[in-house]
Amino acid sequence: MKRRIENYHLFILCLLLFVASSLSAQSIKGSDKADALSSYNVVWDKPGENSLGSMPAGNGDIGINAWVVTNGDLLFYLSKTDTWSGNGRLLKLGSIRVSISPNPFTNGEPFLQTLVLKDGAIHIKAGEKGKEVNIGLWVDANHPVIDMDIKSRQPVKVTIRFETWRTERRAITTQAEKGSAYGIDDLPVIYVEKDSILETTKNELVWLHQNKYSIWKNNLQLQALDEWAEKHEDPLLNRIFGGAVRSRQMVKINSQTMETKQPETVVQAQVYALTQKNSTIDQWEQSLLKIIQNTEAINENKREAAHKQWWEQFWNRSYIYIKSPGTASEDSIDQVNSGYILQRYMNASAGRGSFPIKFNGSIFTVDTKNIKGNESGFDADFRRWGGAYWWQNTRLIYWPMLMAGDFDLMHPFFNMYFKALPLRKVATRKYYHHDGAFYPETMYFWGTYLDVNYGRDRKDKPDGLTDNEYIRRYWQGGLEMSMMMLDYYAFTGN
């Protein structure tokens, strides 16, 4: 029996391949291919002003959103694929503020910020001629570290400050912001817990967030899965995530600030990130120290060369460039090229972590301080539709990866469903009395319904019957996932 391609996005991708072969039959090699990719770099000739004008970069697990403020500083949000709070929200790690004096970001002076696709890096050049400052930002493709390289034509003073908005325990009370914790947004109050800034004796900035409570057990008990909760490990409780800032050219001023001892022409800094589940603070600190030592043992030039090699291999394993020179549709076709290439870049920047790419912003969400409406004014932890996964939305990110050959980016997606399979078997036996397994359309990463979808009032309702009628019998995701896995096997033999 022949299988039909039912997925719209896969059909469109196949159509693009056909159009590409029709319009430009020749292959692209060597420098021509590099030039073709570079033509889709994102280039800004003025600062982004705020986080809505930020530029993303990532290594598949750790991400940054970087922007420059006119007459101000370089800032970037830090994110990671596994920074789950006790409420099941995917939080930021915090942000980094970089101040340079004399300030090269003065209004009216030359400015250029470039997303260099072939290298997976952000380059910033600013300041008057003869006094330019060049900044390179890249998230190491092979290590859990963000590198910042500052080179100036004149000596400059550099200050780095770690910033967090989670400074005290805070109650989320408005329904709009509760949407960021969708699943428990029916509760009267949802709390955001504070971060901890560690007072270390070393020349470094260290901070962390520790989950001291979790929604996991109550979520399972609500769904009549008490036995599973008693026998298995809570994936949220005592999860610790945070990071450290280090620089050989800088000294610590206080627990959140470092600055150069004297004006320098070259300043290098590294920002490390680590998540560890079911951990103590001492264990987390020791693991972080080991990561730092192992990374610092490698020459930075070698790390950067390996980083660039990873991106080169990524871009070379498949590519689509559609050409129709001199036609009325040339600009539209160019936009298709740009959209495809930049989306693939975003996937690679967030698709190799412990968890799948989130459909609602990936790891590149930003604050809403500069938007209008009822969702205005929230911090960068805000995420519409919360931390759970919607199959019907998440699948759209992954179908095209089969055709692009981005098989490594599919592993976190498959792994989440594999890891949830034992629990789904228990739930299926409990609800429907057979040995199969079904997956909810909307689920937490451990494999259960969200509380508000399942329903808290269970009076006169059989176990497994959801209050949410839209997803009550919508279980086709498991079948479609199986089809995707079969296609993966057909391509890879794995």
Side-chain angles (χ1 to χ4, degrees), residues 243-260:
V245 180
R246 308 256 294 202
S247 173
R248 290 185 176 91
Q249 293 84 28
M250 308 183 82
V251 294
K252 181 165 65 175
I253 303 303
N254 56 51
S255 59
Q256 291 182 246
T257 310
M258 301 181 79
E259 66 179 30
T260 48

Side-chain angles (χ1 to χ4, degrees), residues 115-138:
L115 176 60
V116 183
L117 293 170
K118 72 179 182 65
D119 296 336
I122 297 171
H123 290 175
I124 301 170
K125 182 178 181 179
E128 64 179 288
K129 188 175 181 180
K131 298 181 180 180
E132 301 98 331
V133 173
N134 287 273
I135 304 172
L137 275 173
W138 49 285

